[in-house]
Amino acid sequence: DRDFKIADRACTQTIEPRLFYLYIPNVNQAYMPVFDTSQSDLNFSSLFGENQFNGNDRINNANQLSLSLTARLIETDSGTQRLSATVGQRYYFNDQKVALNYNDPSAYRSSNSSDILAGLSTNLKTHWNVDAFWQYNTDDSNSVRSTISGRYNPEPGKVLNLSYSYRQDSIDQSDMSAQWPLGKGWYGIGRANYSFRENRIIE
């Protein structure tokens, strides 16, 4: 970390590397039925998780290294985090041998690394908060998932939310919602969810 100034405002910048090595020996679980277990979604929490499955019907084999790098910008006087940016990826040293369906070839990982994850979060002086997330597949050179959202909250009772979500082959949507005072104790609340894949408002 280091101290510096932006427009005469004292700030602290941090750079935070994180490494997590995990080894789990392979145990054949093909004889065990799957009741309520599913594949975990890849995100910054599951990137450093021990089990890639949600539930107790499967425990994956592992010989892998997860790493990430986070940079933060913090106001020294208030302690407010104004900016946070993170990038991370996982590397596999062994093939995947445990799957939900042992007989399905597509259930096994074919790459020796995970998708690249990148995230950005800002807390601006203009009452705007902006968050963004991006998942990129290096094997296919394609964006797998991306989201960006903005929140404007100038004072209690006034809020405007804007967001865009994309997931490869399934979701391409925007979402807008707001609450705003109309006067004399009345508030207006509204939301619209639009699908670009279907070219219509879906909610």
Side-chain angles (χ1 to χ4, degrees):
D1 62 84
R2 68 186 183 104
D3 298 327
F4 68 105
K5 288 187 177 182
I6 298 179
D8 295 329
R9 186 177 291 112
C11 297
T12 299
Q13 180 196 15
T14 70
I15 295 180
E16 307 162 21
R18 183 180 181 187
L19 288 85
F20 177 67
Y21 174 76
L22 176 67
Y23 175 77
I24 301 175
N26 175 48
V27 175
N28 187 2
Q29 301 159 59
Y31 64 92
M32 296 179 60
V34 176
F35 292 102
D36 58 357
T37 296
S38 61
Q39 187 86 22
S40 296
D41 200 20
L42 184 63
N43 52 52
F44 284 114
S45 295
S46 63
L47 186 67
F48 295 94
E50 295 183 1
N51 193 7
Q52 68 181 19
F53 301 108
N54 293 316
N56 298 316
D57 303 318
R58 291 288 188 272
I59 298 177
N60 60 264
N61 66 296
N63 184 11
Q64 62 195 37
L65 178 67
S66 300
L67 40 79
S68 70
L69 186 67
T70 300
R72 304 179 197 273
L73 188 64
I74 303 168
E75 280 190 353
T76 304
D77 294 338
S78 64
T80 301
Q81 178 178 281
R82 292 299 179 187
L83 175 69
S84 174
T86 304
V87 61
Q89 192 175 22
R90 179 190 293 152
Y91 295 92
Y92 306 101
F93 305 117
N94 284 349
D95 294 335
Q96 180 181 350
K97 299 178 181 178
V98 179
L100 291 174
N101 183 358
Y102 274 75
N103 298 319
D104 181 7
S106 65
Y108 295 87
R109 182 188 66 250
S110 59
S111 175
N112 61 359
S113 64
S114 73
D115 295 341
I116 295 175
L117 303 180
L120 178 71
S121 179
T122 65
N123 182 5
L124 305 177
K125 284 281 191 180
T126 55
H127 305 293
W128 276 98
N129 291 347
V130 179
D131 295 290
F133 175 82
W134 184 47
Q135 179 178 341
Y136 181 77
N137 187 303
T138 56
D139 295 330
D140 300 334
S141 300
N142 283 325
S143 293
V144 177
R145 183 171 39 136
S146 59
T147 61
I148 183 169
S149 61
R151 174 186 171 93
Y152 179 64
N153 187 202
E155 60 185 64
K158 292 182 178 181
V159 62
L160 172 65
N161 299 302
L162 303 170
S163 67
Y164 170 77
S165 301
Y166 169 83
R167 187 183 288 264
Q168 191 177 33
D169 300 327
S170 61
I171 295 175
D172 190 7
Q173 298 176 4
S174 65
D175 194 293
M176 180 176 67
S177 62
Q179 172 184 300
W180 214 261
L182 302 177
K184 297 183 179 180
W186 287 88
Y187 280 83
I189 298 176
R191 180 186 177 198
N193 189 199
Y194 184 84
S195 172
F196 295 99
R197 292 173 62 87
E198 303 173 24
N199 294 318
R200 67 182 180 89
I201 294 178
I202 57 177
E203 185 177 3

